[in-house]
Amino acid sequence: MDLKEQSALLRILALMASADGSVGSQEQQMVQRHFDEHFLGSFPDAWEEALTNSMDLKTAALAVPVGMRPLTIKLSYMVISACGDERGFPIDPTEIYAFNALVNHMELTENDKELAVNAAKQELKASSAVWLKLKSQLSKHIGQNSSGGGAR
């Protein structure tokens, strides 16, 4: 993926995260995670550029190569799902609207969308399980140290 394509993909993620009028901290963390996995460069600089870029959703969607569109949909769904617990409901309706517009602009089928959403949900569930396990182990470790197991 060249820089123009990377910029378009990151712009899409920024537009998804900000579709409801603000970017939640968990949304930004999710975008950073995707950036670290799929992009080169400095996240803070690229993120600031993506947030202030004037490229609209349709233009950005069409700049993403056809072969990268299912991944783009998956990553976008993960971003809009990131703040569900923080806000008290699964996904903001305006973000769902933007997501569906993205799917249409990318000329993907309902089946393509369903496959990408299911893949995103599986990945989110897997990473959530890992964090819960780590949190549990850390709590046990801290509990052991505070109950007299540590140095005095």
Side-chain angles (χ1 to χ4, degrees):
M1 189 167 23
D2 67 24
L3 285 176
K4 181 181 175 190
E5 295 163 349
Q6 280 189 43
S7 178
L9 178 50
L10 194 56
R11 175 63 178 156
I12 289 168
L13 298 180
L15 288 167
M16 291 296 108
S18 63
D20 62 352
S22 66
V23 177
S25 62
Q26 291 181 341
E27 288 172 321
Q28 185 170 340
Q29 289 171 2
M30 182 66 70
V31 173
Q32 183 163 4
R33 182 177 133 198
H34 295 324
F35 184 89
D36 293 344
E37 291 175 10
H38 302 282
F39 298 90
L40 299 173
S42 164
F43 177 74
D45 295 338
W47 181 239
E48 183 61 33
E49 202 276 308
L51 287 171
T52 59
N53 189 322
S54 63
M55 188 184 310
D56 67 8
L57 184 60
K58 185 174 185 175
T59 303
L62 295 174
V64 174
V66 173
M68 291 293 297
R69 291 178 182 181
L71 175 64
T72 303
I73 294 297
K74 175 186 156 193
L75 299 179
S76 296
Y77 190 84
M78 291 174 77
V79 168
I80 65 172
S81 298
C83 284
D85 293 336
E86 188 176 286
R87 293 183 180 155
F89 47 87
I91 301 175
D92 186 282
T94 56
E95 290 178 340
I96 283 287
Y97 182 83
F99 177 77
N100 288 328
L102 174 64
V103 172
N104 290 331
H105 293 319
M106 292 192 145
E107 301 172 350
L108 296 173
T109 66
E110 197 61 33
N111 187 53
D112 294 332
K113 173 185 166 183
E114 198 172 309
L115 289 171
V117 167
N118 287 337
K121 286 179 179 179
Q122 286 179 330
E123 191 170 325
L124 288 167
K125 186 176 180 180
S127 54
S128 177
V130 168
W131 282 113
L132 286 174
K133 186 175 181 176
L134 287 172
K135 184 178 175 183
S136 171
Q137 290 174 347
L138 185 58
S139 294
K140 286 179 188 176
H141 178 71
I142 291 171
Q144 287 173 350
N145 285 343
S146 65
S147 64
R152 291 181 190 215

